[in-house]
Amino acid sequence: MKSSLSLVIPVYNEEENLDELVDRCVAACDALGRPYEVVLVDDGSRDASRERIEAKARQFGGRVKGVFLNRNYGQHNAVICGLGHADGATVVTLDADLQNPPEEIGRLMAKVDEGYDVVGTVRVNRQDSLLRRLPSLLINRMVMSATGVMMHDYGCMLRAYDRRVVDAILECRERSTFVPVLANSFACRTTEIDVHHDERKAGTSKYGLFRLLNLMFDLMTSMTTAPLRMLTYAGGALSLCGIAFGAFLLAMRLLLGSEWAAQGIFTLFAVVFVLLGVQLVAMGLLGEFIGRIHIDVRQRPRYFVERIVGATGVRLTWSPEDAADEVLEHQAT
Ligand code: UDP
Ligand code: MG
């Protein structure tokens, strides 16, 4: 039998979309001929989403599961919660607003069956306003330059993750996170496919300007502590410039005399530059400590084992004495 599949869908005030969403997901998964479950995580909705989820869970007993959070925790936390309640060998995440057509899941699973452990998607005909696309463009650029990784559309949540990657994500203890980026840090073989992107069926986007900004900071701090180090570098450079400027002033004063120095105004500049630079370096050093604290409290797994070769699975029976005996026997003959 083919390996099992869990769909994880975060839901926040999506009452008008839920019926169609679940029906289409169930139909798409039925067509795949593998065991599956649909996990809907209600992220503290204030409309009738919960009742809709309960009704659907009754209708498709066993195949649809609802997990209700007591308040709104944000999309990515809801997804992580869903990952924790998913049992499938593969987990596919998607949005509840039907912008990601559930019918594409089959194509994702085909890639998973080929052996990829993270399958991303690129929205070929993205149906969002320019104002919503611009920040995404920025985010994608940022991730690409910070991680050097290979994916072009981190915003699209229609993604498939292998169980091992899901388990590694669940081991991370951080609060503010960005699931696709986290997943990529544990991936061994990734690929992307083009998918169709529809307009939101009903309701409005949950991301206003400030939530997007927030997301951007979450993303940046979950990827890198490089901006902290930039402080040290900038401060060092500024100090060096100040010292060079001071030396230049001194040389000119010796060559051309004291009236050239404009009563020491420029000397003051040189001193200020040096001091400013020293301050920045000091802040950068503080930043290095904070960055390490930040990395430690996240408690991400230190490493991710891709595979082990040469393991037999039986208990170790070989001992150094055996090896010594072997040598002696060898010498005796
Ligand atoms: N969502 C959520 N909690 C939130 C905000 C959003 O669970 O606090 C869900 C939302 O119901 C949807 C998905 O996350 O299923 C993506 O949200 P949305 O469509 O508003 O984002 P956009 O498509 O504009 O990126
Ligand atoms: Mg959407």
Side-chain angles (χ1 to χ4, degrees), residues 121-241:
T121 51
V122 182
R123 298 168 275 196
V124 272
N125 57 332
R126 187 159 174 195
Q127 299 290 331
D128 284 315
S129 64
L130 184 70
L131 223 69
R132 179 67 191 77
R133 285 206 311 267
L134 221 60
S136 299
L137 192 79
L138 219 76
I139 286 177
N140 286 326
R141 282 282 151 79
M142 213 163 77
V143 184
M144 278 216 269
S145 64
T147 62
V149 180
M150 57 267 188
M151 288 202 169
H152 299 87
D153 192 355
Y154 280 95
C156 189
M157 285 300 281
L158 180 60
R159 281 161 182 274
Y161 306 111
D162 182 75
R163 165 57 44 192
R164 293 183 340 131
V165 173
V166 171
D167 287 343
I169 293 175
L170 289 174
E171 271 186 52
C172 303
R173 299 259 77 88
E174 61 215 69
R175 302 289 152 119
S176 39
T177 191
F178 200 91
V179 178
V181 176
L182 200 54
N184 262 18
S185 63
F186 300 119
C188 306
R189 281 188 76 202
T190 61
T191 185
E192 282 181 316
I193 59 172
D194 288 342
V195 291
H196 192 75
H197 193 239
D198 287 323
E199 255 176 82
R200 203 174 220 290
K201 263 275 144 65
T204 50
S205 171
K206 311 290 180 281
Y207 284 101
L209 182 62
F210 282 104
R211 279 196 104 153
L212 272 177
L213 272 178
N214 228 343
L215 195 70
M216 211 128 80
F217 281 122
D218 277 354
L219 182 65
M220 190 177 74
T221 52
S222 77
M223 272 179 334
T224 170
T225 51
L228 295 173
R229 187 153 300 163
M230 296 309 287
L231 274 178
T232 319
Y233 292 149
L238 197 64
S239 277
L240 286 181
C241 286

Side-chain angles (χ1 to χ4, degrees), residues 231-237 239 275-287:
L231 274 178
T232 319
Y233 292 149
S239 277
L275 287 183
L276 264 182
V278 169
Q279 269 182 358
L280 283 184
V281 170
M283 274 164 70
L285 285 181
L286 278 182

